[in-house]
Amino acid sequence: MTVDLDVVSQSWPIEGTFSISRGSRTEAVVVVVTLSEAGNDGQGECVPYARYGESIDSVCDQILSIKDEIQAGVSRGELRRLMAPGAARNAIDCALWDMEAKKAGSTAAALAGLPPLHPVTTAYTLSVGTPEAMKEMATKSASRPLLKVKLAGDGDDERLKAVREGAPDSVLIIDANEAWSADNFEQNLNTAEKVGVALIEQPLPAGEDDLLRDIKTDCLICADESLHSLDDLAPLYDRYQAVNIKLDKAGGLTEALDMARQAKDLGYKIMTGCMVGTSLGMAPAMLVAQFADFVDLDGPLLLAKDRAFGIQFNGSLMMPPQPALWG
């Protein structure tokens, strides 16, 4: 039986502006894959990321390049052999999980050998800005137990002090998005330690992180841009104590679950993160979140509007997705 394929791009306005060290945006642009077979529809969402040379057009072209294989009923295992990790493979893989769950009259969690999903506490992200603006954002979010702070390199010590003043009781994780350098690393790290940061995500550029081999700190250093797929885990162990597993980098839930299990075996702390997208993109990542020490799946909280049957949040507590959404 032929599997029908539909590929569309969608734009979802962000509440305000989302800013990281590489720039700002006011909308989340996603690609949605829908697979249909015998009345069972499966959907998957991905976010093309320019940092990895992806665009809406390139991701859609990648998906359509294996249209024949998809229509012939490609398996998730075959998909991993056909496509490299990345956003395109993620959308297809997650749509396959969703369709398989519906065909089986089961859940994606059960198909993955997991117990029923439990709620998780997600970080809430503060965009990078001036220390004054970030203190104001932190003050407004001070009731949230876990805050993720976007940084930009020079001046981050002042930003961190300001955020801690605004949110004295929240656990802080910080994300430099590769913006730190040998010149500012020590000062920024010292301030992070002083304000009690729990985890520092990708402080140095991927491929330029040898400095981390000699760092002694109580802050967990977490690989993000340095980590994509299963093959990256073991080589990073001399520089990082934690890894951020994102479906759009890993190329889908199938690889991400394998990564989570292997990361646990290697002794890493696990963070599961996201690009800014809708609840459809977060739902599969909730399976990885069951393994995680830090969860950062707040994409829908940053949007002006989420899709129908979106994930429910009680403050920062994130509920498992409804079957009407995914899985």
Side-chain angles (χ1 to χ4, degrees):
M1 186 172 291
T2 300
V3 176
D4 292 326
L5 167 68
D6 182 59
V7 185
V8 297
S9 63
Q10 300 173 344
S11 175
W12 296 83
I14 291 171
E15 187 74 51
T17 301
F18 182 75
S19 300
I20 66 171
S21 62
R22 299 189 191 99
S24 301
R25 51 189 155 145
T26 57
E27 62 178 359
V29 184
V30 305
V31 173
V32 176
V33 166
T34 303
L35 304 178
S36 303
E37 182 183 16
N40 296 294
D41 295 342
Q43 289 196 311
E45 175 184 297
C46 71
V47 180
Y49 199 31
R51 166 66 178 80
Y52 306 124
E54 296 174 339
S55 67
I56 292 294
D57 288 343
S58 73
V59 165
C60 289
D61 287 345
Q62 279 183 277
I63 294 166
L64 292 173
S65 73
I66 63 163
K67 181 178 180 179
D68 290 346
E69 290 87 347
I70 292 171
Q71 290 182 327
V74 69
S75 70
R76 288 184 284 107
E78 291 166 343
L79 179 66
R80 290 171 83 177
R81 292 189 289 274
L82 284 170
M83 299 185 80
R89 195 177 82 181
N90 177 36
I92 301 168
D93 181 77
C94 290
L96 286 170
W97 276 98
D98 191 27
M99 187 171 68
E100 288 170 26
K102 289 181 170 62
K103 287 168 66 175
S106 184
T107 65
L111 294 181
L114 299 176
L117 300 181
H118 60 75
V120 296
T121 297
T122 181
Y124 182 77
T125 303
L126 306 182
S127 290
V128 67
T130 64
E132 296 77 17
M134 295 186 75
K135 180 179 179 180
E136 183 179 352
M137 286 187 281
T139 301
K140 291 178 180 178
S141 305
S143 63
R144 293 185 182 274
L146 181 62
L147 295 178
K148 177 172 174 175
V149 183
K150 289 290 189 178
L151 297 175
D154 291 338
D156 282 349
D157 56 333
E158 295 303 318
R159 293 184 181 97
L160 282 171
K161 292 173 188 175
V163 168
R164 179 50 87 200
E165 288 177 13
D169 299 322
S170 300
V171 174
L172 299 183
I173 56 180
I174 62 177
D175 185 5
N177 286 115
E178 305 179 278
W180 290 8
S181 67
D183 294 333
N184 60 35
F185 186 91
E186 184 175 355
Q187 182 178 18
N188 289 337
L189 177 60
N190 287 341
T191 302
E193 291 173 334
K194 287 176 183 175
V195 303
V197 166
L199 177 145
I200 302 172
E201 196 179 341
Q202 197 69 44
L204 297 169
E208 300 177 26
D209 50 9
D210 286 348
L211 174 65
L212 298 178
R213 289 190 174 95
D214 302 319
I215 294 300
K216 300 288 190 273
T217 177
D218 290 332
C219 302
L220 294 169
I221 308 296
C222 179
D224 182 4
E225 284 86 350
S226 291
L227 175 79
H228 291 260
S229 63
L230 201 60
D231 293 339
D232 298 325
L233 282 169
L236 294 174
Y237 196 71
D238 61 345
R239 282 155 286 168
Y240 297 93
Q241 301 83 51
V243 289
N244 188 351
I245 300 172
K246 292 179 178 175
L247 271 63
D248 276 316
K249 292 187 302 172
L253 177 60
T254 305
E255 179 117 356
L257 287 171
D258 285 348
M259 291 174 69
R261 293 182 173 110
Q262 183 167 321
K264 282 289 188 188
D265 290 342
L266 289 170
Y268 284 110
K269 295 292 185 182
I270 294 177
M271 179 178 182
T272 184
C274 65
M275 310 304 186
V276 182
T278 77
S279 283
L280 181 59
M282 306 306 119
M286 279 288 286
L287 277 69
V288 183
Q290 308 300 298
F291 296 83
D293 302 281
F294 298 90
V295 176
D296 176 30
L297 298 178
D298 64 340
L301 294 176
L302 304 177
L303 300 179
K305 180 184 177 182
D306 195 8
R307 60 177 77 244
F309 306 107
I311 290 173
Q312 298 300 303
F313 293 84
N314 182 4
S316 293
L317 190 66
M318 185 177 186
M319 306 303 166
Q322 303 175 60
L325 173 69
W326 184 91

